[in-house]
Amino acid sequence: MSWMQGITCQVRHWRAERARWKADMVEFKAAQKEARRKGEWPENPGPPPTGFTLLPWLLMGMGSFSNLLQGKTSNPWIGGLGLFAFNSLYIYVVFRSFVKEKRQAVSTVVALIVMGLITCGLALGYGGSWLYFFPLLGLATGAVVRGPRLGQVGLALTALAAAVSVYRSGWDAINVAYGTFLSTMVTAAILSLSEAVRELRAAREELARRAVEKERMRFSRDLHDLLGHTLSVIVVKSEAARRLAPRDMEAALGQITDIEAVGRQALTEIREAVTGYREGSLATELDRARSALSAADIAPVVRQSGPLLTPQNEALLGWVVREAVTNVVRHSGATRCEITFDGVMDRVRLTIADDGPGDGGTTATGPAEGIGGTGLKGLTERLAVAGGSLRAGPSPRGGFTVTAELPVESAELTSSVVTTAGATAPREP
């Protein structure tokens, strides 16, 4: 009973494969028709080939079947069983040959060898039209054996077909050997090419998907960093202008002028971020940081010394300054913020530390959970790609510290040490 259930399951599987193949063909023909209507070349190569594409070749055995029906074959029961066994194994092998794992399985190879033995037995026993099972065996062999061993296997099978054909029917049947060689090589070549085309198409689609995903991530990070900093500066300067307006209108107008400049600059940066051409400048970000901190009544202290940077590394550290200073202005409640840039020949370090209320703690590699949010997490990823690192967390003496490190890609050093304080005198923590 179990073998009957196995046959039933196999038949159901073939029916499902056939239904899926017919649906793929309908979709392929519709895509071709639409492409011809638009005057374009259809990109869809069509549904992948299945075992159904090799089934019509079984008609080559109709001559042997006809001999059995007409009683022209001795021992018809043996011939009938051989024909049934060959056709069953052929169907089994060709359907497995289109799935790489099944094609390379031991059971498929064993079935192919048994097919070869049955073919030799029927050809040697009956000759004539039974010799045409060799080209059928070549089709199955070409579908299964694809790779560096194809040539050896194809030549061995051709030699076997030639020897059996000459033995049974003389040199007139040598065309069986030619048909066997041709069916083996052509089948393997066509199926291998079809498989390679589909793999390349799948790889191209995957690369396109990853490129879109990468660009989406880049744009979302840039937009977050740009708008988060810019809006924070605008809010801080607006509050400063509101406080100054009753007693010093000229200073309030200065803050409003700064708001206008920040807004215009933000529009330019957003356009550049959309097109992917924006490159930040560390000096520019440090100037903006001084302005934003001063407007928020936080004393900025900037110390800069160390090696010159490549534009890419300078842009990365500029993003760190922008994000860290934005967090200081919005969340720290600090009165003083120190920005230190230093380094040696092989590595540079940027540190942004404030004296805001803190509960103390240790510094963790990467932004701690709940600290820094999306901005610092995105910067951690960017610095990691460039071979650097980002640490953020509460300082042991209070406040919050962000430290970014990058490898140096330039051998030139600067010897300048710049210490800049804002208009408001630094307040000791």
Side-chain angles (χ1 to χ4, degrees):
M1 194 65 182
S2 60
W3 64 272
M4 285 294 295
Q5 292 177 349
I7 293 176
T8 303
C9 292
Q10 189 65 40
V11 171
R12 289 177 181 173
H13 174 71
W14 287 341
R15 286 178 178 176
E17 287 286 338
R18 184 171 180 271
R20 184 165 61 250
W21 181 72
K22 290 178 67 176
D24 289 340
M25 281 299 297
V26 171
E27 183 180 353
F28 170 61
K29 290 178 179 179
Q32 275 194 323
K33 184 177 180 181
E34 181 66 17
R36 284 195 298 268
R37 187 181 66 81
K38 295 180 178 180
E40 300 174 351
W41 184 264
E43 291 188 3
N44 187 358
T50 65
F52 290 104
T53 58
L54 296 180
L55 288 186
W57 293 100
L58 284 175
L59 294 175
M60 294 177 63
M62 286 300 294
S64 304
F65 183 70
S66 176
N67 290 339
L68 285 174
L69 292 180
Q70 295 175 9
K72 298 179 180 180
T73 303
S74 58
N75 299 319
W77 286 105
I78 296 177
L81 287 175
L83 183 63
F84 176 77
F86 180 89
N87 289 343
S88 300
L89 288 173
Y90 178 87
I91 294 172
Y92 174 80
V93 168
V94 297
F95 271 95
R96 292 175 67 87
S97 65
F98 290 94
V99 181
K100 188 174 182 180
E101 293 77 12
K102 294 181 179 180
R103 182 171 69 239
Q104 297 174 349
V106 176
S107 58
T108 306
V109 177
V110 171
L112 194 62
I113 293 174
V114 174
M115 278 181 65
L117 296 176
I118 293 175
T119 302
C120 290
L122 294 175
L124 288 171
Y126 297 111
S129 59
W130 296 84
L131 294 173
Y132 291 107
F133 284 110
F134 275 110
L136 278 174
L137 179 61
L139 284 171
T141 302
V144 173
V145 184
R146 310 179 201 172
R149 300 185 60 185
L150 175 64
Q152 299 175 359
V153 175
L155 289 176
L157 182 59
T158 302
L160 178 63
V164 174
S165 300
V166 170
Y167 175 78
R168 284 296 307 180
S169 303
W171 291 101
D172 293 338
I174 198 66
N175 59 335
V176 173
Y178 175 73
T180 302
F181 178 78
L182 200 63
S183 62
T184 304
M185 295 302 176
V186 171
T187 302
I190 292 176
L191 294 182
S192 298
L193 180 61
S194 174
E195 188 175 43
V197 168
R198 294 179 189 283
E199 289 177 354
L200 288 174
R201 185 169 181 265
R204 185 184 65 179
E205 292 176 352
E206 178 64 16
L207 289 174
R209 185 190 66 80
R210 291 186 180 183
V212 171
E213 183 178 352
K214 183 178 179 181
E215 182 64 13
R216 185 184 294 118
M217 290 294 295
R218 180 198 68 82
F219 179 68
S220 64
R221 288 195 301 260
D222 287 359
L223 196 60
H224 170 272
D225 295 341
L226 286 169
L227 292 183
H229 174 79
T230 301
L231 294 178
S232 297
V233 172
I234 289 176
V235 169
V236 169
K237 287 188 171 292
S238 298
E239 292 175 349
R242 177 175 55 80
R243 293 195 306 268
L244 291 171
R247 62 178 185 271
D248 192 344
M249 183 57 67
E250 184 176 352
L253 289 176
Q255 294 292 340
I256 294 173
T257 302
D258 289 345
I259 293 173
E260 180 182 3
V262 169
R264 292 183 184 278
Q265 182 63 28
L267 289 175
T268 301
E269 291 177 346
I270 289 175
R271 294 190 187 102
E272 292 174 349
V274 170
T275 56
Y277 292 125
R278 183 179 187 276
E279 287 190 358
S281 167
L282 182 58
T284 302
E285 295 300 339
L286 289 175
D287 289 340
R288 292 177 182 172
R290 295 187 190 99
S291 176
L293 291 170
S294 298
D297 288 334
I298 301 174
V301 178
V302 181
R303 297 184 178 92
Q304 185 177 0
S305 65
L308 293 175
L309 300 175
T310 62
Q312 292 80 8
N313 284 354
E314 191 170 345
L316 281 173
L317 294 180
W319 282 114
V320 175
V321 171
R322 174 185 286 261
E323 178 64 25
V325 169
T326 299
N327 289 337
V328 170
V329 171
R330 294 172 60 185
H331 307 301
S332 70
T335 59
R336 178 187 175 95
C337 179
E338 295 185 4
I339 303 174
T340 305
F341 172 74
D342 56 14
V344 291
M345 286 290 295
D346 60 343
R347 206 159 185 84
V348 293
R349 180 185 297 108
L350 174 67
T351 304
I352 299 97
D354 63 69
D355 62 350
D359 54 1
T362 59
T363 301
T365 300
E369 187 70 25
I371 296 175
T374 305
L376 289 181
K377 291 177 181 177
L379 286 173
T380 302
E381 297 172 1
R382 295 189 189 190
L383 290 169
V385 171
S389 62
L390 182 72
R391 298 188 301 275
S395 300
R397 292 178 294 177
F400 193 85
T401 302
V402 176
T403 303
E405 292 187 359
L406 277 175
V408 177
E409 299 180 9
S410 173
E412 295 185 53
L413 298 178
T414 58
S415 58
S416 62
V417 178
V418 181
T419 303
T420 307
T424 306
R427 305 171 189 175
E428 294 299 329

